[in-house]
């Protein structure tokens, strides 16, 4: 997005060009960083308290991959919609520096409590804040799941099946790939044939990807350039105009400065605004109001320290797999099934790094440049499901933190190892995870700065995840050995919190039905990765967006039937 934009009388207008992040302002001004303070721009001004009669058709909470697509769909259908986003509206061209530390404001930095034998990392790992949500800092890695990803229980007798098949999501995957301008290979080597190929050619392979091709090829493992929601050429975007091609600067996880990455702020949100959606940034929802019959009547939120209320006929909760169940538990909403906060899953994501004689420069290029799904269902597996292999692009500060935690290198030893940073390459996996009673989210007694209970996430890797990681680590070590790496080491990790308000066929064991509607609250819909019945062995962003569009279409069709 070339300039920061705001809704004013249904017109997009540029606002003052202040850089929002205080650390970045201080770095550019060469002066000490001041304490963060509210920025005085039109986007951040408190809204007047709406009159009780000012009821809208729909309120959408959260503007990431779950909220933004359906917001655009609802607005395009002519509904009066308001979107509430906890974070501010960022200006990519001015706010997203090529500097990791300056971009920490993109992450959900409120403290979340982690428990279990394998406590999950929060912050940049699992959520974002701002208009665009975690898509502001996702890596843009957008492979489709394969059809049997949705049927673990059918195929293995363990886990949980989705309440519909791949064919329900396939047309939405195609629509998204064309709309977002996804760069990828045509034909795609794995899965069923496709009616349309990717609209753009693949992005260039980064150093790690080129080395992975070498090592995997020697082992007979097929690889392919990956599908990425980043433009390999200029692309016309409905609602915004031409988006520029990726410059391969490699800082996707620190915010894309030129709009080449298909984050929601440069794709679905401008489209939604064009069709009249009311975007309200810096709006933190605390209460969901109901009438005597249990139907939702409105929400209460805080915007820049002032409490506001918005009445609505329908609520779409798209706050992510931590804040969505937290809001439900805080408001004692949709709890009949007893499944809110349960079934927490996290993708096994073990990483393996090696040092090469060649210059790799791991911060350059699209981070997830290469994929292999030959391990989707390994023949020698002693576990349920499978995983994909992916080359890693990693930024220096992130890598240094992983070296310190993974190898216990500190001080001079860490500095000495980091001198080889430009010769390091990595591979990682993303694999299935099974729900387990020991893994869940709850409200803690400890309160946050707003006086609300903090979420506590319990996660312990079970036997299936342990075996999968062991299988994958051994294979990735062989790939790097074949590619000529030395000093090979593994960094254990889990990514993407999933499944805390899952969908299903019955309110006895699920929170929402196959269309995303809560079983016990007729005008509440949930749409984010909290509703996933299984983790899927691919990155979740594309499927969250597909679910978002599907949920919107199912809702609009139900409204048409009522009006008929």
């Amino acid at each position: 997005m070339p300039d920061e934009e705001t809704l004013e009388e249904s017109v997009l207008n540029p606002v003052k060009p202040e850089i929002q992040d205080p650390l970045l302002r201080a770095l550019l001004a060469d002066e000490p960083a001041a304490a963060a303070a509210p920025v005085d721009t039109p986007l951040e001004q408190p809204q007047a308290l709406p009159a009780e009669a000012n009821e809208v058709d729909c309120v959408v909470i959260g503007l990431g991959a779950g909220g933004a697509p359906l917001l655009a769909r609802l607005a395009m259908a002519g509904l009066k919609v308001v979107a509430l986003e906890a974070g501010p509206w960022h200006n990519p061209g001015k706010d997203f520096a090529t500097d990791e530390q300056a971009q920490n404001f993109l992450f959900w930095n409120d403290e979340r409590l982690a428990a279990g034998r394998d406590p999950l990392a929060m912050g940049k790992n699992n959520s974002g804040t701002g208009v665009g949500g975690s898509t502001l800092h996702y890596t843009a890695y957008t492979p489709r799941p394969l059809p049997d990803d949705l049927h673990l229980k059918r195929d293995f007798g363990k886990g949980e099946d989705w309440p519909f098949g791949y064919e329900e999501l396939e047309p939405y995957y195609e629509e998204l790939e064309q709309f977002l301008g996804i760069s990828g290979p045509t034909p795609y080597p794995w899965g069923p044939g496709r009616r349309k190929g990717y609209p753009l050619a693949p992005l260039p392979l980064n150093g790690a990807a080129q080395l992975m091709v070498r090592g995997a090829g020697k082992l007979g493992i097929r690889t392919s350039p990956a599908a990425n929601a980043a433009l390999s050429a200029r692309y016309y975007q409905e609602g915004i105009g031409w988006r520029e091609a990726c410059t391969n600067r490699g800082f996707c996880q620190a915010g894309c400065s030129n709009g080449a990455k298909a984050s929601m702020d440069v794709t679905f949100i401008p489209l939604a605004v064009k069709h009249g959606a009311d975007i309200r940034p810096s709006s933190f929802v605390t209460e969901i109001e109901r009438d005597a019959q249990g139907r939702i009547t409105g929400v209460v939120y805080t915007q820049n320290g002032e409490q506001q209320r918005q009445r609505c006929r329908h609520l779409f909760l798209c706050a992510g797999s931590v804040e969505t169940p937290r809001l439900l538990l805080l408001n004692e909403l949709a709890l009949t099934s007893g499944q809110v906060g349960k079934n927490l899953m996290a993708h096994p994501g073990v990483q393996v790094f090696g040092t090469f004689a060649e210059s790799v420069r791991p911060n350059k290029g699209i981070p997830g440049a290469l994929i292999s799904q030959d391990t989707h269902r390994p023949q020698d597996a002693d576990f349920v499901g499978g995983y994909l292999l992916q080359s890693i692009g990693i930024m220096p500060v992130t890598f240094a933190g992983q070296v310190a935690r993974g190898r216990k290198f500190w001080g001079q030893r860490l500095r000495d190892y980091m001198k080889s940073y430009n010769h390091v390459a990595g591979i990682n996996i993303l694999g299935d995870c099974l729900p387990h009673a020991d893994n869940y989210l709850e409200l803690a007694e400890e309160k946050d700065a707003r006086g609300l209970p903090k979420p506590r996430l319990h996660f312990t890797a079970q036997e299936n995840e342990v075996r999968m990681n062991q299988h994958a680590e051994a294979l990735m070590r062989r790939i790097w050995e074949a590619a000529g790496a030395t000093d090979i080491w593994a960094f254990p990790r889990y990514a993407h919190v999933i499944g805390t308000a899952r969908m299903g066929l019955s309110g006895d064991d699920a929170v929402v039905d196959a269309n995303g509607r809560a079983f016990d609250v007729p005008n509440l819909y949930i749409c984010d990765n909290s509703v996933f019945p299984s983790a899927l062995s691919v990155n979740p962003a594309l499927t969250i967006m597909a679910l978002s569009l599907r949920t919107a279409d199912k809702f609009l069709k139900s409204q048409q039937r009522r009006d008929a």
Side-chain angles (χ1 to χ4, degrees):
M1 187 179 293
D3 292 294
E4 187 169 19
E5 296 171 325
T6 182
L7 180 68
E8 183 176 330
E9 297 180 358
S10 300
V11 178
L12 293 173
N13 296 294
V15 301
K16 297 178 183 179
E18 285 89 355
I19 296 171
Q20 295 181 18
D21 181 61
L23 175 58
L24 179 55
R25 287 201 302 268
L27 290 171
L28 294 176
D30 194 24
E31 61 186 27
V39 180
D40 184 21
T41 72
L43 289 175
E44 303 305 319
Q45 293 302 313
Q47 304 287 324
L49 185 67
E52 288 296 310
N54 186 16
E55 184 181 59
V56 298
D57 294 310
C58 305
V59 164
V60 178
I61 300 176
L63 277 177
L70 68 82
L71 177 72
R73 200 73 129 209
L74 299 177
M76 292 173 74
L79 298 184
K80 189 174 183 181
V81 290
V82 167
L84 303 174
E85 165 57 44
W89 203 320
H90 299 296
N91 182 333
K94 296 184 182 298
D95 290 354
F96 297 165
T98 305
D99 185 299
E100 290 178 75
Q101 297 299 86
Q103 300 309 303
N104 284 335
F105 65 88
L106 287 176
F107 312 130
W108 192 287
N109 292 311
D110 287 6
E111 185 179 46
R112 291 158 168 179
L113 306 180
R117 290 201 304 271
D118 302 283
L120 299 173
M122 293 288 115
K124 67 179 68 176
N125 184 47
N126 276 305
S127 56
T129 181
V131 176
S134 60
T135 68
L136 296 173
H137 64 83
Y138 78 148
T139 60
Y141 200 62
T142 47
R144 296 185 188 186
L146 299 183
D148 57 3
D149 264 319
L150 279 65
H151 300 292
L152 281 185
K153 191 170 185 178
R154 181 197 68 187
D155 295 345
F156 293 94
K158 294 182 179 180
E160 199 65 39
D161 288 345
W162 288 54
F164 49 77
Y166 177 85
E167 68 281 354
E168 283 279 318
L169 293 175
E170 186 173 23
Y172 294 106
Y173 290 138
E174 181 181 293
E175 177 183 349
L176 286 162
E177 289 160 357
Q178 302 302 313
F179 175 74
L180 299 175
I182 289 182
S183 304
T186 300
Y188 188 75
W190 298 276
R194 302 181 182 184
R195 194 174 67 89
K196 286 186 179 180
Y198 290 113
L200 294 174
L203 287 156
L205 296 183
N206 60 12
Q210 294 175 44
L211 291 166
M212 181 178 161
V213 169
R214 178 201 297 174
K218 290 181 178 180
L219 300 181
I221 298 171
R222 292 178 300 166
T223 58
S224 169
N228 283 284
L231 304 178
S232 60
R234 293 183 80 224
Y235 198 74
Y236 187 79
Q237 174 66 59
E238 183 182 356
I240 192 170
W242 287 96
R243 289 168 49 215
E244 296 302 321
C246 175
T247 60
N248 293 299
R249 67 194 260 273
F251 276 66
C252 304
Q253 289 175 296
C256 181
S257 59
N258 76 334
K261 186 177 75 172
S263 51
M264 297 299 95
D265 60 321
V266 297
T267 54
F268 280 107
I269 290 170
L271 186 61
V273 171
K274 180 180 178 181
H275 288 273
D278 182 352
I279 310 292
R280 299 181 188 172
S282 300
S283 298
F284 191 94
V285 177
T286 55
E287 297 179 41
I288 300 173
E289 299 179 321
R290 286 165 284 172
D291 61 20
Q293 287 73 45
R295 293 181 64 87
I296 291 171
T297 58
V299 299
V300 175
Y301 63 98
T302 301
Q303 188 180 48
N304 295 325
E306 294 190 16
Q307 191 176 83
Q308 315 286 350
R309 173 180 288 106
Q310 177 60 61
R311 289 171 53 79
C312 62
R313 299 181 184 90
H314 305 276
L315 178 64
F316 292 80
L317 183 51
C318 312
S321 51
V322 175
E323 291 303 311
T324 283
R326 185 192 189 195
L327 263 175
L328 295 175
L329 292 168
L330 283 171
N331 288 275
E332 299 182 348
L333 191 66
L335 303 184
T336 302
S337 67
Q339 298 301 307
V340 172
K342 308 298 184 185
N343 311 302
L344 185 152
M345 296 171 282
H347 283 129
V350 60
Q351 299 177 335
V352 174
F353 294 96
T355 303
F356 291 84
E358 298 95 330
S359 177
V360 179
R361 298 194 176 273
N363 63 303
K364 299 296 185 182
I366 194 75
L370 194 78
I371 188 173
S372 176
Q373 289 186 285
D374 274 8
T375 51
H376 176 67
R377 293 288 183 266
Q379 292 185 352
D380 61 345
D382 58 352
F383 51 82
V384 169
Y387 56 90
L388 61 78
L389 294 166
Q390 172 190 5
S391 63
I392 301 174
I394 191 165
M395 297 180 289
V397 176
T398 299
F399 183 64
Q402 294 187 184
V403 174
R405 292 186 324 225
R407 305 194 79 175
K408 313 302 181 190
F409 286 3
W410 304 98
Q412 188 60 48
R413 192 178 186 189
L414 175 60
R415 288 193 291 272
D416 290 342
Y417 179 75
M418 285 302 295
K419 291 176 183 177
S420 65
Y421 167 74
N422 282 325
H423 291 265
V424 170
I427 316 174
N428 78 294
I429 71 162
L430 208 71
D432 278 308
C433 179
L434 299 181
H436 192 276
D438 288 347
N439 298 332
Y440 61 94
L441 178 148
E442 64 177 354
L443 298 182
E445 294 182 1
E446 185 176 335
K447 302 295 176 61
D448 64 13
R450 300 179 181 88
L452 300 173
K454 294 178 180 179
R456 181 189 290 118
L457 285 75
H458 296 258
F459 185 77
T460 296
Q462 304 300 316
E463 183 179 9
N464 200 70
E465 290 76 58
V466 171
R467 289 180 174 180
M468 182 181 294
N469 276 324
Q470 290 172 342
H471 184 281
E473 180 182 336
L475 178 58
M476 289 187 286
R477 285 179 178 273
R478 289 173 56 210
I479 290 172
W480 275 160
E481 288 169 357
T486 60
D487 192 18
I488 300 170
W489 62 280
F491 179 73
R493 62 186 282 272
Y494 288 86
H496 308 128
V497 176
I498 294 167
T500 50
R502 74 178 178 193
M503 66 168 63
L505 296 174
S506 167
D508 293 336
D509 59 3
V511 180
V512 299
D513 66 16
N515 299 331
R517 189 172 78 165
F519 281 106
D520 51 356
V521 186
N523 61 340
L524 169 65
Y525 290 78
I526 301 175
C527 192
D528 50 41
N529 56 348
S530 69
V531 305
F532 283 24
S534 67
L536 306 178
S537 60
V538 294
N539 300 63
L542 187 70
T543 297
I544 297 172
M545 296 180 216
L547 275 178
S548 182
L549 294 177
R550 182 180 181 276
T551 297
D553 285 350
K554 295 292 185 181
F555 169 77
L556 291 170
K557 187 173 292 185
S558 72
Q559 298 306 298
Q560 291 170 355
R561 286 198 298 267
R562 290 191 180 96
D563 294 340

